[in-house]
């Protein structure tokens, strides 16, 4: 049973940066994909970014492309989300999750295609 723990959230001014971490335990990843989602108050959880564990290919939502970077550290079993040029609309609770079937999860990018959700880390961007 994989367990994910997110960290790194906080309060930042617009234009600032944060780096989120998602530490995984309970299994070794190989032909997997990991994703970051976020949920703003009163809104549905939405896809932010994903990365294939093998090869490191990355995928982004249009709203964060060019500002956010997802990466992974195989040795630490950790996925990161570097967030730059933050905007107030980036305010949300950010979650990481494991793709249930990587090719399908990356194609459709919906929360039902991911599992083993972490508890989330809150990001607040002030204007």
């Amino acid at each position: 049973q994989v367990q994910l723990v997110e960290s790194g959230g906080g309060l930042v001014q617009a234009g600032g940066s944060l780096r989120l971490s998602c530490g995984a335990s309970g299994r070794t990843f190989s032909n997997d994909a990991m994703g970051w989602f976020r949920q703003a108050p009163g809104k549905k959880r939405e896809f932010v970014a994903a990365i294939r564990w093998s090869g490191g290919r990355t995928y982004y939502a249009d709203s964060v492309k060019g500002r956010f970077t997802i990466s992974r550290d195989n040795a630490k079993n950790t996925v990161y989300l570097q967030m730059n040029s933050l905007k107030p609309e980036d305010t949300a609770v950010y979650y990481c999750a494991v793709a249930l079937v990587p090719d399908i999860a990356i194609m459709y990018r919906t929360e039902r295609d991911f599992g083993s959700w972490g508890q989330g880390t809150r990001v607040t961007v002030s204007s």
Side-chain angles (χ1 to χ4, degrees), residues 101-118:
V101 180
D103 288 344
I104 293 176
I106 287 171
M107 178 182 297
Y108 293 104
R109 306 178 186 185
T110 65
E111 62 175 306
R112 67 182 180 184
D113 297 312
F114 290 80
S116 302
W117 295 87

Side-chain angles (χ1 to χ4, degrees), residues 16-65:
S17 299
L18 282 175
R19 189 177 82 155
L20 306 184
S21 299
C22 172
S25 61
R27 62 177 279 192
T28 301
F29 297 104
S30 55
N31 295 318
D32 297 278
M34 303 280 291
W36 283 97
F37 283 72
R38 65 186 181 187
Q39 187 167 19
K43 295 189 176 181
K44 293 182 179 180
R45 194 171 297 188
E46 65 174 2
F47 172 82
V48 175
I51 187 168
R52 290 189 183 270
W53 204 263
S54 176
R57 186 170 179 180
T58 58
Y59 309 84
Y60 297 95
D62 288 342
S63 58
V64 306
K65 203 171 293 184

